[in-house]
Amino acid sequence: MGMVGGGIGAFIGEVHRKAAAMDGQIELVCGAFDIDPEKSKEAGKLFFLPEDRVYGTYQEMFAAEKKLPEGERMDFVSIVTPNHVHFPVAKAALENGFHVVSEKPMTVTSEEAGELVALAGETGLEFAVTHTYTGYPMVKQARHMIRNGDLGKLRKVVVEYPQGWLSTKLEGTVQQATWRTDPKQAGPAGAMGDIGSHAENLAEYITGLRITEICADLTTHVEGRPLDDDVNVLLRFENGARGVMHASQISAGEENALRIFVYGEKGGIEWHQHNPNTLLVKHLDRPMEVYRTGVDHGGYLSDAAMHNTRVPGGHPEGYIEAFANIYRNFAHTLGCLMQGEKPSPEMLDFPTAKDGLRGMRFIETVIASSNNDQKWTPVK
Ligand code: NAD
């Protein structure tokens, strides 16, 4: 793995490095870790990389790595920069023959995302987008039960992602707040792109249904902030199910309180990322059941949930393991492709460029809906 972004003081790059290393499938071999080439070198030293594999820019990195023999050069790049840098780096990676793992939102426009989907298709290279929450075993269990028809026809989805950390004006003092509230770096959406994109992805992943129409209301509560910090959306799904999504960075005191409720004709599920090893399963005719990661009582957990679990129940698995599941599945997929083998469905279970494109279209539709007076706006 090579990495672009994730220098000293960066947030998510470090999580990626830990997650990628967790299962011994992936080794960090090079990087262009910072917008400042000198700081990239400093970071490379901390990661014990040889000096000649630490680059000043991603362009230098792709050019130099391409010249190295197979087996020595990086196989894929992990992109952990602010949003506006995802597209140029991913495009250059694909054009130079490298697979891609990219942070979300995949790009800043759906045109860019579409271009990357096409390029990945043409080159036959793999492209993962790190919608982290799809990596949790109990999210996979919920998806399995819905696919299996355990809830019956789905009727209602409620998905919420409240945070409180941007309740005051941190931009200008905190690096992560500064670029997230700057349209030139974050793209056209604030809270919607940053965490609403996760909520949309989680709802479509768990239900297997596409959101077809929405009615959205974007708001900016903190004075002088050019992007939304609060999002409220009504959802209509392709099977007629209805839903509600809200995402917010001004919900005072909230941490990363991502929650999803799905209700069908026969029952419901509830999952909360603050308690990610528990899935509540609700019924019409008996009390609620508590499913737990790694507690398989005679095989009631799905293969997908077990495949993405590392330790016996009661030993908590969390955010970094969820990230690691995306990396492990991606690495196994690459391994199969390199050896001319077919990856299994469990290996292919990671968010792809097409999911990233769905996310970009959803973001753009939310903005369009919020700006018009029409009640319903179709998602492209
Ligand atoms: P950050 O500001 O902490 O780090 C960004 C890093 O990118 C910095 O080291 C910066 O120097 C580097 N960088 C910027 N431009 C560069 C360039 N041209 N070349 C090389 N390096 C460059 O940001 P963050 O909070 O870590 O967010 C990074 C990305 O991760 C964003 O897209 C964000 O949406 C995403 N993210 C995802 C999750 C998740 O759960 N999946 C969580 C947090 C952040």
Side-chain angles (χ1 to χ4, degrees):
M1 171 173 91
M3 181 168 265
V4 178
I8 297 166
F11 165 38
I12 212 67
E14 192 174 338
V15 174
H16 279 249
R17 287 190 292 273
K18 287 172 180 156
M22 187 172 284
D23 296 291
Q25 303 287 311
I26 296 170
E27 184 189 2
L28 179 71
V29 293
C30 64
F33 297 103
D34 203 288
I35 182 83
D36 175 341
E38 283 313 306
K39 289 191 179 158
S40 175
K41 304 270 168 204
E42 266 177 59
K45 271 190 203 142
L46 273 186
F47 310 147
F48 300 107
L49 288 175
E51 272 179 31
D52 61 348
R53 302 292 290 278
V54 184
Y55 302 97
T57 65
Y58 69 86
Q59 291 94 333
E60 265 175 48
M61 179 167 96
F62 293 139
E65 289 290 315
K66 217 167 104 171
K67 291 187 192 137
L68 295 174
E70 206 182 313
E72 199 178 316
R73 66 171 176 247
M74 68 170 180
D75 293 312
F76 74 93
V77 65
S78 178
I79 306 169
V80 289
T81 61
N83 305 347
H84 69 304
V85 186
H86 299 172
F87 173 71
V89 178
K91 185 166 187 277
L94 294 172
E95 286 170 347
N96 283 287
F98 298 108
H99 304 278
V100 174
V101 173
S102 172
E103 260 305 347
K104 47 43 65 178
M106 181 168 151
T107 51
V108 293
T109 68
S110 62
E111 284 73 25
E112 289 177 350
E115 202 178 320
L116 294 179
V117 168
L119 201 50
E122 282 160 28
T123 55
L125 293 161
E126 290 296 320
F127 199 120
V129 178
T130 45
H131 278 298
T132 323
Y133 308 103
T134 63
Y136 282 105
M138 285 298 106
V139 165
K140 298 200 185 282
Q141 179 67 19
R143 179 177 192 244
H144 165 81
M145 293 173 79
I146 287 168
R147 278 181 158 186
N148 206 33
D150 294 3
L151 272 53
K153 181 175 180 260
L154 300 188
R155 290 171 162 170
K156 172 141 184 154
V157 180
V158 179
V159 61
E160 51 192 40
Y161 198 155
Q163 294 180 334
W165 72 289
L166 287 177
S167 293
T168 57
K169 205 168 165 64
L170 293 185
E171 42 269 50
T173 48
V174 174
Q175 171 183 322
Q176 286 74 19
T178 303
W179 71 255
R180 276 175 172 79
T181 53
D182 171 7
K184 290 199 192 79
Q185 299 183 76
M192 179 54 227
D194 204 34
I195 53 172
S197 60
H198 280 308
E200 171 272 333
N201 177 263
L202 186 68
E204 290 202 347
Y205 179 76
I206 284 191
T207 62
L209 296 173
R210 286 177 170 229
I211 299 163
T212 50
E213 284 185 300
I214 63 164
C215 175
D217 188 18
L218 289 176
T219 316
T220 307
H221 290 275
V222 172
E223 213 179 316
R225 184 173 282 167
L227 293 174
D228 58 277
D229 49 26
D230 190 63
V231 190
N232 297 288
V233 191
L234 289 179
L235 309 169
R236 285 180 166 179
F237 289 83
E238 60 186 325
N239 75 334
R242 298 295 200 261
V244 184
M245 177 193 124
H246 75 88
S248 171
Q249 294 180 314
I250 51 84
S251 292
E254 295 290 355
E255 297 166 6
N256 281 281
L258 173 63
R259 282 209 294 183
I260 185 161
F261 305 80
V262 182
Y263 303 99
E265 286 169 336
K266 295 195 279 185
I269 59 97
E270 175 181 342
W271 180 81
H272 191 338
Q273 106 114 4
H274 282 194
N275 191 9
N277 298 298
T278 295
L279 177 69
L280 299 181
V281 181
K282 300 166 189 188
H283 306 283
L284 290 179
D285 56 356
R286 58 187 191 278
M288 175 161 42
E289 292 174 314
V290 180
Y291 284 44
R292 297 271 301 152
T293 300
V295 186
D296 194 27
H297 296 308
Y300 77 90
L301 290 179
S302 61
D303 289 348
M306 291 307 286
H307 172 78
N308 289 283
T309 300
R310 289 178 183 74
V311 288
H315 298 305
E317 298 193 33
Y319 184 65
I320 299 182
E321 284 88 348
F323 252 113
N325 287 336
I326 294 178
Y327 270 106
R328 187 173 58 172
N329 291 343
F330 183 77
H332 282 151
T333 294
L334 291 196
C336 282
L337 296 178
M338 285 168 187
Q339 288 165 46
E341 291 165 14
K342 210 170 154 225
S344 68
E346 279 87 13
M347 293 174 186
L348 288 167
D349 182 12
F350 55 82
T352 65
K354 285 185 182 161
D355 299 308
L357 171 59
R358 282 284 305 156
M360 290 314 302
R361 288 192 173 147
F362 185 78
I363 292 169
E364 288 175 353
T365 311
V366 166
I367 296 169
S369 167
S370 187
N371 288 339
N372 72 36
D373 289 332
Q374 202 178 302
K375 185 163 175 193
W376 292 103
T377 304
V379 181
K380 262 190 262 170

